[in-house]
Amino acid sequence: MGNLPVGYRFKPTDGEIISFYLPLKLKGEIIPHDCFVNCDLYGDKEPWMIFDKNLKETFYAFTKLKKITTKNGSVIKRTAGIGNWDCQNIEIVENREGRSIGVKKSLVFQVEEGESEENGHWVIDEYSVHPEDEYVICRIRNKDMDEENLIKKRILAMEENDQQAPKRFRVSDLISLSDQEDVIQGEESSPADEETTDSDEYTDEGSADSSKD
């Protein structure tokens, strides 16, 4: 993202987003680099139509809030395509001195009933300085691409393949078969047979000695 040097990652804190980057946008000033995009997150497109759902990246965007008037007052419209951004949590962001500097809202994208969720599970952290601000900064990502979730998906895929594939011999199966063969061979050469053989040999030797006398 952006023109950062190799090995660098753009990962500002909540306080840095609210106290540094957001004021620049609200004042119409130039952002130092292009790690932010301008887009309408609460419009006609779903998040996977704006960002690549197969990337592990966290995206940062400036978006304009859409206020609508209802009989209960003014509210923010957060619909997007076939879904809606549902607010899960509201948190007051403080600076190092413990002073309130803004608000962070955590939202989850919920698709309409009957629609597929194969395009990922998207979450947003929405940052604002004042409730009446027209623009906000959003940190957005597809949770399906988190490393922990990717590992779970690989494990599930492997288990499904094992269930669907024809039965194959594993190393443990071969070892088990080898042990069974050893048992069978041991049963075939029983102690009774060995005693009979020894007795026959003794008799032959005794007969040979008698003939010499």
Short mmCIF file of all heavy atoms in Angstrom, two decimals, residues 33-86:
data_model
loop_
_atom_site.label_atom_id
_atom_site.label_comp_id
_atom_site.label_asym_id
_atom_site.label_seq_id
_atom_site.Cartn_x
_atom_site.Cartn_y
_atom_site.Cartn_z
N HIS A 33 1.28 10.80 2.13
CA HIS A 33 1.48 9.72 1.17
C HIS A 33 0.14 9.14 0.76
O HIS A 33 -0.91 9.55 1.25
CB HIS A 33 2.41 8.63 1.75
CG HIS A 33 2.11 8.29 3.17
ND1 HIS A 33 1.02 7.57 3.55
CD2 HIS A 33 2.77 8.60 4.31
CE1 HIS A 33 1.02 7.42 4.86
NE2 HIS A 33 2.05 8.04 5.35
N ASP A 34 0.17 8.17 -0.15
CA ASP A 34 -1.08 7.69 -0.75
C ASP A 34 -1.57 6.39 -0.13
O ASP A 34 -2.06 5.50 -0.82
CB ASP A 34 -0.89 7.50 -2.26
CG ASP A 34 0.26 6.55 -2.58
OD1 ASP A 34 0.96 6.14 -1.65
OD2 ASP A 34 0.44 6.22 -3.77
N CYS A 35 -1.45 6.26 1.17
CA CYS A 35 -1.95 5.06 1.85
C CYS A 35 -3.47 5.11 2.05
O CYS A 35 -4.07 4.12 2.45
CB CYS A 35 -1.26 4.89 3.21
SG CYS A 35 0.47 4.41 3.07
N PHE A 36 -4.08 6.28 1.79
CA PHE A 36 -5.52 6.43 1.92
C PHE A 36 -6.15 6.54 0.53
O PHE A 36 -5.56 7.11 -0.38
CB PHE A 36 -5.89 7.68 2.73
CG PHE A 36 -5.50 7.61 4.17
CD1 PHE A 36 -4.25 8.06 4.59
CD2 PHE A 36 -6.36 7.09 5.12
CE1 PHE A 36 -3.89 8.02 5.92
CE2 PHE A 36 -6.01 7.03 6.45
CZ PHE A 36 -4.77 7.49 6.86
N VAL A 37 -7.35 5.99 0.41
CA VAL A 37 -8.10 6.14 -0.83
C VAL A 37 -9.39 6.90 -0.51
O VAL A 37 -9.89 6.86 0.61
CB VAL A 37 -8.45 4.78 -1.47
CG1 VAL A 37 -7.19 4.06 -1.88
CG2 VAL A 37 -9.28 3.92 -0.52
N ASN A 38 -9.90 7.60 -1.49
CA ASN A 38 -11.19 8.27 -1.36
C ASN A 38 -12.25 7.40 -2.04
O ASN A 38 -12.15 7.13 -3.24
CB ASN A 38 -11.16 9.65 -2.01
CG ASN A 38 -10.28 10.63 -1.26
OD1 ASN A 38 -10.65 11.11 -0.20
ND2 ASN A 38 -9.11 10.92 -1.81
N CYS A 39 -13.22 6.95 -1.29
CA CYS A 39 -14.25 6.09 -1.88
C CYS A 39 -15.53 6.18 -1.06
O CYS A 39 -15.53 6.64 0.09
CB CYS A 39 -13.77 4.65 -1.99
SG CYS A 39 -13.41 3.87 -0.41
N ASP A 40 -16.60 5.72 -1.67
CA ASP A 40 -17.92 5.74 -1.02
C ASP A 40 -18.19 4.35 -0.45
O ASP A 40 -18.68 3.46 -1.15
CB ASP A 40 -18.99 6.12 -2.05
CG ASP A 40 -20.35 6.32 -1.41
OD1 ASP A 40 -20.44 6.21 -0.17
OD2 ASP A 40 -21.33 6.55 -2.14
N LEU A 41 -17.87 4.15 0.82
CA LEU A 41 -18.09 2.85 1.45
C LEU A 41 -19.55 2.60 1.77
O LEU A 41 -19.96 1.46 1.94
CB LEU A 41 -17.27 2.77 2.75
CG LEU A 41 -15.75 2.74 2.58
CD1 LEU A 41 -15.07 2.72 3.95
CD2 LEU A 41 -15.31 1.54 1.76
N TYR A 42 -20.33 3.67 1.88
CA TYR A 42 -21.75 3.55 2.22
C TYR A 42 -22.60 3.93 1.03
O TYR A 42 -23.47 4.80 1.10
CB TYR A 42 -22.07 4.42 3.44
CG TYR A 42 -21.17 4.15 4.63
CD1 TYR A 42 -20.55 5.20 5.32
CD2 TYR A 42 -20.91 2.86 5.05
CE1 TYR A 42 -19.73 4.95 6.41
CE2 TYR A 42 -20.07 2.59 6.13
CZ TYR A 42 -19.48 3.64 6.80
OH TYR A 42 -18.65 3.39 7.87
N GLY A 43 -22.32 3.24 -0.09
CA GLY A 43 -23.03 3.57 -1.33
C GLY A 43 -23.62 2.34 -1.99
O GLY A 43 -24.22 1.48 -1.34
N ASP A 44 -23.44 2.24 -3.31
CA ASP A 44 -24.07 1.18 -4.09
C ASP A 44 -23.23 -0.09 -4.19
O ASP A 44 -23.71 -1.11 -4.69
CB ASP A 44 -24.36 1.68 -5.52
CG ASP A 44 -25.33 2.86 -5.52
OD1 ASP A 44 -26.17 2.91 -4.60
OD2 ASP A 44 -25.23 3.70 -6.43
N LYS A 45 -21.97 -0.03 -3.73
CA LYS A 45 -21.08 -1.18 -3.90
C LYS A 45 -20.77 -1.86 -2.56
O LYS A 45 -20.61 -1.21 -1.54
CB LYS A 45 -19.77 -0.73 -4.55
CG LYS A 45 -19.91 -0.23 -5.97
CD LYS A 45 -18.55 0.14 -6.54
CE LYS A 45 -18.67 0.60 -7.99
NZ LYS A 45 -17.35 0.96 -8.56
N GLU A 46 -20.68 -3.19 -2.64
CA GLU A 46 -20.25 -3.97 -1.48
C GLU A 46 -18.75 -3.82 -1.31
O GLU A 46 -18.05 -3.44 -2.26
CB GLU A 46 -20.61 -5.45 -1.67
CG GLU A 46 -22.09 -5.74 -1.83
CD GLU A 46 -22.60 -5.49 -3.24
OE1 GLU A 46 -21.75 -5.28 -4.14
OE2 GLU A 46 -23.81 -5.51 -3.45
N PRO A 47 -18.22 -4.10 -0.13
CA PRO A 47 -16.77 -3.89 0.09
C PRO A 47 -15.88 -4.68 -0.86
O PRO A 47 -14.82 -4.21 -1.24
CB PRO A 47 -16.57 -4.32 1.55
CG PRO A 47 -17.77 -5.13 1.90
CD PRO A 47 -18.89 -4.56 1.10
N TRP A 48 -16.30 -5.90 -1.23
CA TRP A 48 -15.47 -6.71 -2.14
C TRP A 48 -15.50 -6.19 -3.58
O TRP A 48 -14.71 -6.63 -4.40
CB TRP A 48 -15.91 -8.17 -2.10
CG TRP A 48 -17.35 -8.42 -2.45
CD1 TRP A 48 -17.89 -8.55 -3.69
CD2 TRP A 48 -18.44 -8.54 -1.52
NE1 TRP A 48 -19.24 -8.74 -3.61
CE2 TRP A 48 -19.61 -8.76 -2.29
CE3 TRP A 48 -18.53 -8.51 -0.14
CZ2 TRP A 48 -20.86 -8.93 -1.70
CZ3 TRP A 48 -19.78 -8.69 0.44
CH2 TRP A 48 -20.93 -8.90 -0.32
N MET A 49 -16.41 -5.26 -3.87
CA MET A 49 -16.41 -4.62 -5.17
C MET A 49 -15.47 -3.41 -5.19
O MET A 49 -15.16 -2.89 -6.26
CB MET A 49 -17.83 -4.18 -5.54
CG MET A 49 -18.83 -5.31 -5.67
SD MET A 49 -18.41 -6.44 -7.02
CE MET A 49 -18.65 -5.38 -8.43
N ILE A 50 -15.03 -2.98 -4.02
CA ILE A 50 -14.12 -1.84 -3.91
C ILE A 50 -12.69 -2.29 -3.65
O ILE A 50 -11.74 -1.77 -4.23
CB ILE A 50 -14.58 -0.89 -2.78
CG1 ILE A 50 -16.01 -0.41 -3.04
CG2 ILE A 50 -13.63 0.30 -2.65
CD1 ILE A 50 -16.60 0.40 -1.90
N PHE A 51 -12.55 -3.31 -2.78
CA PHE A 51 -11.23 -3.82 -2.40
C PHE A 51 -11.12 -5.29 -2.79
O PHE A 51 -12.12 -6.01 -2.88
CB PHE A 51 -11.01 -3.68 -0.89
CG PHE A 51 -11.19 -2.28 -0.38
CD1 PHE A 51 -12.36 -1.90 0.26
CD2 PHE A 51 -10.19 -1.32 -0.56
CE1 PHE A 51 -12.53 -0.61 0.73
CE2 PHE A 51 -10.36 -0.03 -0.10
CZ PHE A 51 -11.53 0.34 0.55
N ASP A 52 -9.87 -5.73 -3.00
CA ASP A 52 -9.61 -7.12 -3.37
C ASP A 52 -9.83 -8.02 -2.15
O ASP A 52 -9.12 -7.92 -1.15
CB ASP A 52 -8.17 -7.26 -3.88
CG ASP A 52 -7.92 -8.62 -4.52
OD1 ASP A 52 -8.66 -9.58 -4.24
OD2 ASP A 52 -6.93 -8.74 -5.29
N LYS A 53 -10.80 -8.93 -2.25
CA LYS A 53 -11.13 -9.79 -1.11
C LYS A 53 -10.07 -10.85 -0.84
O LYS A 53 -10.08 -11.49 0.22
CB LYS A 53 -12.47 -10.50 -1.36
CG LYS A 53 -12.45 -11.50 -2.51
CD LYS A 53 -13.79 -12.18 -2.69
CE LYS A 53 -13.74 -13.20 -3.82
NZ LYS A 53 -15.06 -13.87 -4.00
N ASN A 54 -9.14 -11.05 -1.78
CA ASN A 54 -8.11 -12.07 -1.62
C ASN A 54 -6.80 -11.53 -1.06
O ASN A 54 -5.82 -12.27 -0.98
CB ASN A 54 -7.85 -12.75 -2.97
CG ASN A 54 -9.07 -13.49 -3.48
OD1 ASN A 54 -9.71 -14.22 -2.75
ND2 ASN A 54 -9.39 -13.30 -4.75
N LEU A 55 -6.78 -10.27 -0.70
CA LEU A 55 -5.57 -9.68 -0.13
C LEU A 55 -5.64 -9.67 1.40
O LEU A 55 -6.70 -9.48 1.98
CB LEU A 55 -5.38 -8.25 -0.63
CG LEU A 55 -5.03 -8.08 -2.12
CD1 LEU A 55 -4.86 -6.60 -2.45
CD2 LEU A 55 -3.78 -8.85 -2.48
N LYS A 56 -4.48 -9.85 2.02
CA LYS A 56 -4.40 -9.84 3.48
C LYS A 56 -4.29 -8.42 4.02
O LYS A 56 -4.26 -8.21 5.22
CB LYS A 56 -3.19 -10.65 3.96
CG LYS A 56 -3.25 -12.13 3.62
CD LYS A 56 -2.02 -12.84 4.17
CE LYS A 56 -2.02 -14.31 3.81
NZ LYS A 56 -0.81 -15.00 4.35
N GLU A 57 -4.24 -7.46 3.14
CA GLU A 57 -4.00 -6.07 3.55
C GLU A 57 -5.15 -5.48 4.35
O GLU A 57 -6.31 -5.89 4.24
CB GLU A 57 -3.78 -5.19 2.31
CG GLU A 57 -2.45 -5.40 1.62
CD GLU A 57 -2.23 -4.35 0.53
OE1 GLU A 57 -2.58 -3.18 0.78
OE2 GLU A 57 -1.73 -4.70 -0.53
N THR A 58 -4.81 -4.49 5.16
CA THR A 58 -5.79 -3.62 5.79
C THR A 58 -5.85 -2.34 4.98
O THR A 58 -4.82 -1.73 4.69
CB THR A 58 -5.40 -3.31 7.25
OG1 THR A 58 -5.42 -4.53 8.01
CG2 THR A 58 -6.38 -2.33 7.87
N PHE A 59 -7.04 -1.95 4.59
CA PHE A 59 -7.20 -0.78 3.72
C PHE A 59 -7.66 0.43 4.55
O PHE A 59 -8.39 0.28 5.53
CB PHE A 59 -8.22 -1.07 2.62
CG PHE A 59 -7.91 -2.28 1.80
CD1 PHE A 59 -8.49 -3.50 2.09
CD2 PHE A 59 -7.02 -2.21 0.74
CE1 PHE A 59 -8.20 -4.63 1.34
CE2 PHE A 59 -6.71 -3.33 -0.01
CZ PHE A 59 -7.31 -4.55 0.29
N TYR A 60 -7.23 1.61 4.12
CA TYR A 60 -7.62 2.86 4.78
C TYR A 60 -8.30 3.76 3.77
O TYR A 60 -7.80 3.96 2.67
CB TYR A 60 -6.39 3.57 5.37
CG TYR A 60 -5.74 2.79 6.49
CD1 TYR A 60 -4.81 1.78 6.22
CD2 TYR A 60 -6.05 3.05 7.83
CE1 TYR A 60 -4.21 1.06 7.24
CE2 TYR A 60 -5.45 2.35 8.86
CZ TYR A 60 -4.54 1.34 8.56
OH TYR A 60 -3.95 0.63 9.58
N ALA A 61 -9.45 4.29 4.17
CA ALA A 61 -10.23 5.09 3.22
C ALA A 61 -10.89 6.29 3.89
O ALA A 61 -11.28 6.23 5.06
CB ALA A 61 -11.31 4.22 2.58
N PHE A 62 -10.97 7.38 3.12
CA PHE A 62 -11.78 8.52 3.51
C PHE A 62 -13.15 8.32 2.87
O PHE A 62 -13.23 8.04 1.66
CB PHE A 62 -11.18 9.83 2.99
CG PHE A 62 -9.90 10.22 3.67
CD1 PHE A 62 -8.70 10.16 2.98
CD2 PHE A 62 -9.89 10.65 4.99
CE1 PHE A 62 -7.51 10.53 3.60
CE2 PHE A 62 -8.71 11.02 5.61
CZ PHE A 62 -7.52 10.96 4.92
N THR A 63 -14.18 8.44 3.65
CA THR A 63 -15.53 8.30 3.08
C THR A 63 -16.45 9.35 3.67
O THR A 63 -16.26 9.81 4.81
CB THR A 63 -16.09 6.88 3.32
OG1 THR A 63 -17.22 6.67 2.46
CG2 THR A 63 -16.50 6.68 4.76
N LYS A 64 -17.44 9.72 2.91
CA LYS A 64 -18.39 10.75 3.33
C LYS A 64 -19.62 10.10 3.95
O LYS A 64 -20.19 9.16 3.39
CB LYS A 64 -18.79 11.60 2.12
CG LYS A 64 -19.68 12.78 2.46
CD LYS A 64 -19.98 13.60 1.21
CE LYS A 64 -20.84 14.81 1.54
NZ LYS A 64 -21.12 15.62 0.33
N LEU A 65 -20.01 10.60 5.11
CA LEU A 65 -21.19 10.09 5.78
C LEU A 65 -22.45 10.63 5.11
O LEU A 65 -22.47 11.77 4.63
CB LEU A 65 -21.19 10.47 7.26
CG LEU A 65 -20.06 9.86 8.11
CD1 LEU A 65 -20.17 10.33 9.55
CD2 LEU A 65 -20.09 8.34 8.05
N LYS A 66 -23.49 9.80 5.10
CA LYS A 66 -24.75 10.20 4.48
C LYS A 66 -25.83 10.29 5.57
O LYS A 66 -26.28 9.27 6.09
CB LYS A 66 -25.15 9.18 3.41
CG LYS A 66 -24.14 9.10 2.28
CD LYS A 66 -24.53 8.06 1.26
CE LYS A 66 -23.52 8.00 0.13
NZ LYS A 66 -23.87 6.97 -0.87
N LYS A 67 -26.19 11.50 5.90
CA LYS A 67 -27.19 11.72 6.93
C LYS A 67 -28.58 11.86 6.30
O LYS A 67 -28.76 12.57 5.32
CB LYS A 67 -26.85 12.97 7.73
CG LYS A 67 -25.54 12.88 8.48
CD LYS A 67 -25.27 14.13 9.31
CE LYS A 67 -23.94 14.02 10.05
NZ LYS A 67 -23.66 15.21 10.89
N ILE A 68 -29.52 11.13 6.88
CA ILE A 68 -30.90 11.21 6.41
C ILE A 68 -31.78 11.62 7.58
O ILE A 68 -31.48 11.32 8.74
CB ILE A 68 -31.39 9.89 5.80
CG1 ILE A 68 -31.27 8.76 6.82
CG2 ILE A 68 -30.59 9.55 4.54
CD1 ILE A 68 -31.85 7.44 6.32
N THR A 69 -32.86 12.30 7.26
CA THR A 69 -33.77 12.79 8.30
C THR A 69 -34.96 11.86 8.43
O THR A 69 -35.61 11.50 7.43
CB THR A 69 -34.25 14.20 7.97
OG1 THR A 69 -33.11 15.07 7.83
CG2 THR A 69 -35.13 14.74 9.09
N THR A 70 -35.21 11.42 9.64
CA THR A 70 -36.38 10.59 9.93
C THR A 70 -37.26 11.32 10.95
O THR A 70 -36.90 12.40 11.44
CB THR A 70 -35.94 9.23 10.49
OG1 THR A 70 -35.35 9.42 11.78
CG2 THR A 70 -34.94 8.56 9.56
N LYS A 71 -38.38 10.70 11.28
CA LYS A 71 -39.27 11.32 12.27
C LYS A 71 -38.64 11.36 13.66
O LYS A 71 -39.07 12.13 14.52
CB LYS A 71 -40.59 10.56 12.32
CG LYS A 71 -40.46 9.10 12.73
CD LYS A 71 -41.81 8.42 12.74
CE LYS A 71 -41.69 6.96 13.15
NZ LYS A 71 -43.01 6.28 13.18
N ASN A 72 -37.60 10.52 13.84
CA ASN A 72 -36.89 10.50 15.13
C ASN A 72 -35.64 11.36 15.13
O ASN A 72 -34.89 11.37 16.10
CB ASN A 72 -36.53 9.06 15.50
CG ASN A 72 -37.75 8.19 15.70
OD1 ASN A 72 -38.76 8.64 16.25
ND2 ASN A 72 -37.67 6.94 15.25
N GLY A 73 -35.40 12.05 14.01
CA GLY A 73 -34.23 12.90 13.93
C GLY A 73 -33.29 12.50 12.81
O GLY A 73 -33.64 11.72 11.91
N SER A 74 -32.07 12.98 12.85
CA SER A 74 -31.07 12.71 11.81
C SER A 74 -30.27 11.45 12.15
O SER A 74 -29.83 11.27 13.29
CB SER A 74 -30.12 13.89 11.68
OG SER A 74 -29.14 13.63 10.70
N VAL A 75 -30.12 10.56 11.16
CA VAL A 75 -29.36 9.33 11.35
C VAL A 75 -28.39 9.16 10.17
O VAL A 75 -28.57 9.77 9.11
CB VAL A 75 -30.27 8.08 11.45
CG1 VAL A 75 -31.17 8.17 12.68
CG2 VAL A 75 -31.10 7.92 10.18
N ILE A 76 -27.38 8.31 10.39
CA ILE A 76 -26.40 8.01 9.34
C ILE A 76 -26.83 6.76 8.59
O ILE A 76 -27.13 5.72 9.20
CB ILE A 76 -25.00 7.80 9.94
CG1 ILE A 76 -24.57 9.02 10.76
CG2 ILE A 76 -23.99 7.52 8.83
CD1 ILE A 76 -24.47 10.29 9.96
N LYS A 77 -26.87 6.86 7.27
CA LYS A 77 -27.22 5.70 6.44
C LYS A 77 -25.95 4.94 6.08
O LYS A 77 -25.03 5.50 5.47
CB LYS A 77 -27.93 6.18 5.17
CG LYS A 77 -28.37 5.05 4.25
CD LYS A 77 -29.01 5.60 2.99
CE LYS A 77 -29.40 4.46 2.05
NZ LYS A 77 -29.98 4.98 0.77
N ARG A 78 -25.90 3.65 6.46
CA ARG A 78 -24.70 2.85 6.20
C ARG A 78 -25.03 1.58 5.40
O ARG A 78 -24.43 0.52 5.63
CB ARG A 78 -24.00 2.48 7.51
CG ARG A 78 -23.36 3.68 8.22
CD ARG A 78 -22.51 3.22 9.40
NE ARG A 78 -21.78 4.32 10.00
CZ ARG A 78 -22.25 5.11 10.97
NH1 ARG A 78 -23.49 4.91 11.42
NH2 ARG A 78 -21.52 6.08 11.48
N THR A 79 -25.93 1.68 4.47
CA THR A 79 -26.19 0.57 3.57
C THR A 79 -25.14 0.57 2.47
O THR A 79 -24.58 1.62 2.13
CB THR A 79 -27.59 0.67 2.94
OG1 THR A 79 -27.70 1.94 2.26
CG2 THR A 79 -28.68 0.56 3.99
N ALA A 80 -24.87 -0.62 1.92
CA ALA A 80 -23.88 -0.74 0.85
C ALA A 80 -24.25 -1.94 -0.03
O ALA A 80 -24.09 -3.09 0.39
CB ALA A 80 -22.48 -0.92 1.43
N GLY A 81 -24.76 -1.67 -1.22
CA GLY A 81 -25.11 -2.76 -2.13
C GLY A 81 -26.19 -3.65 -1.54
O GLY A 81 -27.27 -3.20 -1.15
N ILE A 82 -25.87 -4.95 -1.41
CA ILE A 82 -26.84 -5.93 -0.92
C ILE A 82 -26.76 -6.11 0.60
O ILE A 82 -27.31 -7.07 1.14
CB ILE A 82 -26.62 -7.29 -1.59
CG1 ILE A 82 -25.21 -7.83 -1.28
CG2 ILE A 82 -26.83 -7.19 -3.08
CD1 ILE A 82 -24.99 -9.27 -1.72
N GLY A 83 -26.10 -5.19 1.28
CA GLY A 83 -25.94 -5.36 2.71
C GLY A 83 -25.96 -4.05 3.48
O GLY A 83 -26.29 -2.99 2.94
N ASN A 84 -25.58 -4.18 4.74
CA ASN A 84 -25.61 -3.03 5.62
C ASN A 84 -24.46 -3.14 6.63
O ASN A 84 -24.12 -4.24 7.09
CB ASN A 84 -26.94 -3.00 6.37
CG ASN A 84 -27.04 -1.82 7.32
OD1 ASN A 84 -27.15 -0.68 6.88
ND2 ASN A 84 -27.00 -2.09 8.61
N TRP A 85 -23.87 -2.00 6.96
CA TRP A 85 -22.81 -1.97 7.97
C TRP A 85 -23.46 -1.81 9.34
O TRP A 85 -24.04 -0.77 9.65
CB TRP A 85 -21.84 -0.82 7.69
CG TRP A 85 -20.95 -1.09 6.51
CD1 TRP A 85 -21.09 -0.59 5.25
CD2 TRP A 85 -19.78 -1.91 6.50
NE1 TRP A 85 -20.08 -1.06 4.44
CE2 TRP A 85 -19.26 -1.88 5.18
CE3 TRP A 85 -19.12 -2.67 7.46
CZ2 TRP A 85 -18.11 -2.57 4.81
CZ3 TRP A 85 -17.98 -3.37 7.09
CH2 TRP A 85 -17.48 -3.31 5.78
N ASP A 86 -23.37 -2.86 10.13
CA ASP A 86 -24.02 -2.89 11.44
C ASP A 86 -23.01 -2.53 12.54
O ASP A 86 -21.96 -3.17 12.66
CB ASP A 86 -24.59 -4.29 11.69
CG ASP A 86 -25.37 -4.37 12.98
OD1 ASP A 86 -25.99 -3.37 13.37
OD2 ASP A 86 -25.33 -5.44 13.64
#
